[in-house]
Amino acid sequence: MTLIDGNLISNQIKEEVKEKVSQLVQAGHKQPHLAAILVGNDGASQTYVGHKVKSCEQVGFKSTLIRCEDTITENELIQQIHQLNNNPYIDGFIVQLPLPKHIDADKILLEIDASKDVDGFHPINFGRMCLNLPAYIPATPMGIMTLIERYKIETAGKHCVVIGRSNIVGRPMSVLMSRSGIDCTVTLCHSRTKNLKEECLRADIIIAALGKPQFVTKDMVKPGAVIIDVGITRLEDASKKSGYRIVGDVDFEGVKDQCSFITPVPGGVGPMTVVSLLLNTLQASQKLIYNN
Ligand code: NAD
């Protein structure tokens, strides 16, 4: 079994991005600049945004964190987004999800200028991705594709089962795995799928993105399958300083000797999400996807 080391690959990519930024700056270009809007005080969201800001510093990007009270109205948040859309010094920005219940996230995401939508959540980017046109690819699926590429995992003609159909992970993942050049036959499973175990047992590649800790067990995995674990769940753990531990959607200990490749949690897909955001921002700063 080969452990897919997301920390190692993400550090390599950060070095590559840092080198590219230094070349751009030496050639007289400005530093790429990512902004993030964080609404409220959700612990996990603060941690994720913190990682994104720190990663920007590591590679030589500028970053701007805009914090809003969780009492902000939908209209006020839209104003904030319009300001970033019109700010020529910001190359790309994200609105950290989830948003408070009184704000309609779909409505908010529609307000982001597609050319600055480095999370790739806007329907224009999603549509362009489906049509194989230049687009910002959502960060987590893009990170998984990078791991598959860098570990030279065979995909052509393989059967890939994606568990979870969310707009940010499962559904885009199913699109990317079926693309020409990757050439998997994809089955997209969700909470209403019947015979999930049988579907998984037919899979050469399982991508688990359902948010249910240790859901995928050894009896669901064909010997030699590739396992990509996207899940991140915080479980209470008094033995940890933080009071919790992070668990994925796969029973790692049970599955690891059954498969050919596996991503650990933490240290697998998670770090790749952040570097994909950096790569999208680098593309935005060079106007490689949209040239306006
Ligand atoms: P979501 O809650 O939006 O979607 C979950 C999906 O799983 C749904 O489509 C649902 O139909 C499906 N599902 C739920 N229960 C199921 C079951 N019993 N059988 C089959 N399908 C089932 O979640 P999400 O935003 O896609 O995130 C999924 C997981 O990935 C979460 O743990 C989240 O924290 C994690 N995540 C990790 C990263 C990362 O960087 N590693 C990024 C985003 C999300």
Side-chain angles (χ1 to χ4, degrees), residues 9 137-148 268-269 272-273 275-276:
I9 302 292
I137 307 293
T140 302
M142 179 173 164
I144 293 170
M145 296 314 291
T146 308
L147 288 177
I148 287 173
V269 173
M272 295 304 296
T273 297
V275 288
S276 302

Side-chain angles (χ1 to χ4, degrees), residues 1-28:
M1 176 275 290
T2 302
L3 192 71
I4 299 179
D5 189 341
N7 285 325
L8 177 81
I9 302 292
S10 69
N11 284 332
Q12 285 173 358
I13 294 177
K14 275 186 194 164
E15 283 305 316
E16 290 162 19
V17 173
K18 193 174 168 183
E19 176 61 29
K20 180 76 192 167
V21 172
S22 129
Q23 285 170 7
L24 285 170
V25 171
Q26 271 172 26

